[in-house]
Amino acid sequence: MTDTARKPDNADALIIDGHAYHSRLLVGTGKYRDLEQTRLAIEASGAAIVTVAIRRSNIGQNPDEPNLLDVIPPERYTILPNTAGCYDADSAVRTCRLARELLDGHNLVKLEVLGDEKTLYPDVGATLEAAATLIADGFRVMVYTNDDPIVARRLEELGCIAVMPLAAPIGSGLGIRNPYNIKTIIDNANVPILVDAGVGTASDAAIAMEIGCDGVLMNTAIAEARDPVLMAGAMRKAIEAGREAFLAGRMPRRAYASASSPIDGSFL
């Protein structure tokens, strides 16, 4: 990976595993019409970290198929292999080890172990098991989980370098269903917290950042938009606006009106 992919635009960079990234938006590569649309949308998003489903994407396993890395070159982006489609700890671990071989020793991975095909909710027990195995094997694990603060804490204690609670079920577009839990996870964490799954539109991304998330990972919200490239740009702006609003500090909520122009000291 080049320094360009990691160079922050300003001092407020996203820090993952000791590296600074200029964008707090992470994007996936699934569900696009073709590789060209994938390339254009990812460019418009401004993302520096791009996640790839190893079980569903060709990154060199099949030399006769188009290679996804031709449109998301590792020299430009940080590739984040993920274990999408894994329903047990063993298959998730095998998938990460395959990714490490395909990417020349790359150890940064996104772990997800799903509980069933209908809800795509995480299997927490299997996730904890796989995380422990991968960390012992030298992987740097960013982990998808539910919005349970206790589970998030246990994953951090295991050694995961980032915890990624869902906002809503994968691909649902429902937005953040439980902002209180997400905020509780953030307030008690010592690693980056990134919302993963459930974002539907730009306002959802902005809300995640206003709560205090370190970043947001999304795929379907961009890829299934009527105009994915335009939506990618909207998500980029929403992430930036939400982060700035969080840093600025919102005004207090009040039960009653408060005049914008106080009458104290008025001339009339």
Side-chain angles (χ1 to χ4, degrees), residues 80-137:
L80 180 63
N82 72 61
T83 60
C86 292
Y87 290 86
D88 60 79
D90 288 343
S91 63
V93 170
R94 285 196 303 272
T95 299
C96 289
R97 287 172 175 162
L98 172 61
R100 182 162 61 183
E101 290 183 19
L102 291 170
L103 295 170
D104 298 323
H106 186 87
N107 282 327
L108 180 67
V109 295
K110 178 199 163 188
L111 171 65
E112 57 182 81
V113 186
L114 304 177
D116 65 72
E117 294 185 6
K118 182 177 181 179
T119 68
L120 300 182
Y121 273 106
D123 181 326
V124 171
T127 298
L128 288 163
E129 178 186 347
T133 300
L134 290 168
I135 290 165
D137 196 21

Side-chain angles (χ1 to χ4, degrees), residues 26-68:
L26 292 70
V27 295
T29 57
K31 301 185 178 181
Y32 289 101
R33 183 180 64 237
D34 52 34
L35 288 184
E36 178 62 9
Q37 187 180 70
T38 305
R39 181 185 68 82
L40 292 172
I42 291 173
E43 286 184 357
S45 76
I49 302 176
V50 180
T51 189
V52 176
I54 297 301
R55 293 167 65 93
R56 300 169 178 165
S57 305
N58 180 37
I59 60 169
Q61 307 98 305
N62 187 347
D64 298 323
E65 297 274 333
N67 190 330
L68 183 59

Side-chain angles (χ1 to χ4, degrees), residues 25 105 124 152 171 190 231 259:
L25 174 59
V124 171
N190 295 302
M231 182 61 82

Side-chain angles (χ1 to χ4, degrees), residues 15-243:
I15 308 297
I16 298 288
D17 197 25
H19 302 299
Y21 295 93
H22 66 267
S23 174
R24 292 177 179 271
L25 174 59
L26 292 70
V27 295
T29 57
K31 301 185 178 181
Y32 289 101
R33 183 180 64 237
D34 52 34
L35 288 184
E36 178 62 9
Q37 187 180 70
T38 305
R39 181 185 68 82
L40 292 172
I42 291 173
E43 286 184 357
S45 76
I49 302 176
V50 180
T51 189
V52 176
I54 297 301
R55 293 167 65 93
R56 300 169 178 165
S57 305
N58 180 37
I59 60 169
Q61 307 98 305
N62 187 347
D64 298 323
E65 297 274 333
N67 190 330
L68 183 59
L69 297 184
D70 289 339
V71 298
I72 51 165
E75 303 81 37
R76 180 173 181 182
Y77 299 100
T78 292
I79 306 302
L80 180 63
N82 72 61
T83 60
C86 292
Y87 290 86
D88 60 79
D90 288 343
S91 63
V93 170
R94 285 196 303 272
T95 299
C96 289
R97 287 172 175 162
L98 172 61
R100 182 162 61 183
E101 290 183 19
L102 291 170
L103 295 170
D104 298 323
H106 186 87
N107 282 327
L108 180 67
V109 295
K110 178 199 163 188
L111 171 65
E112 57 182 81
V113 186
L114 304 177
D116 65 72
E117 294 185 6
K118 182 177 181 179
T119 68
L120 300 182
Y121 273 106
D123 181 326
V124 171
T127 298
L128 288 163
E129 178 186 347
T133 300
L134 290 168
I135 290 165
D137 196 21
F139 284 93
R140 310 298 287 165
V141 177
M142 301 172 66
V143 60
Y144 165 71
T145 185
N146 59 20
D147 60 1
D148 184 335
I150 305 304
V151 172
R153 186 179 67 201
R154 288 181 178 169
L155 288 164
E156 178 181 341
E157 290 170 349
L158 271 178
C160 293
I161 62 168
V163 176
M164 309 174 75
L166 56 81
I170 292 172
S172 68
L174 292 173
I176 297 178
R177 297 292 85 198
N178 197 335
Y180 174 79
N181 275 25
I182 300 293
K183 184 69 166 61
T184 301
I185 291 171
I186 293 166
D187 289 345
N188 291 283
N190 295 302
V191 296
I193 303 299
L194 300 93
V195 156
D196 178 13
V199 168
T201 190
S203 58
D204 299 332
I207 288 169
M209 299 307 296
E210 289 170 8
I211 291 172
C213 290
D214 293 284
V216 178
L217 189 151
M218 66 182 75
N219 185 181
T220 306
I222 296 175
E224 289 193 353
R226 186 172 62 249
D227 186 333
V229 178
L230 187 60
M231 182 61 82
M235 291 299 189
R236 177 179 186 169
K237 296 180 184 75
I239 293 288
E240 293 170 353
R243 179 62 179 177

Side-chain angles (χ1 to χ4, degrees), residues 251-252 254-262:
M251 62 166 283
R254 300 185 177 96
Y256 299 99
S258 176
S260 299
S261 301

Side-chain angles (χ1 to χ4, degrees), residues 4-16:
T4 302
R6 290 179 178 158
K7 185 178 180 181
D9 290 334
N10 53 52
D12 183 45
L14 171 64
I15 308 297
I16 298 288

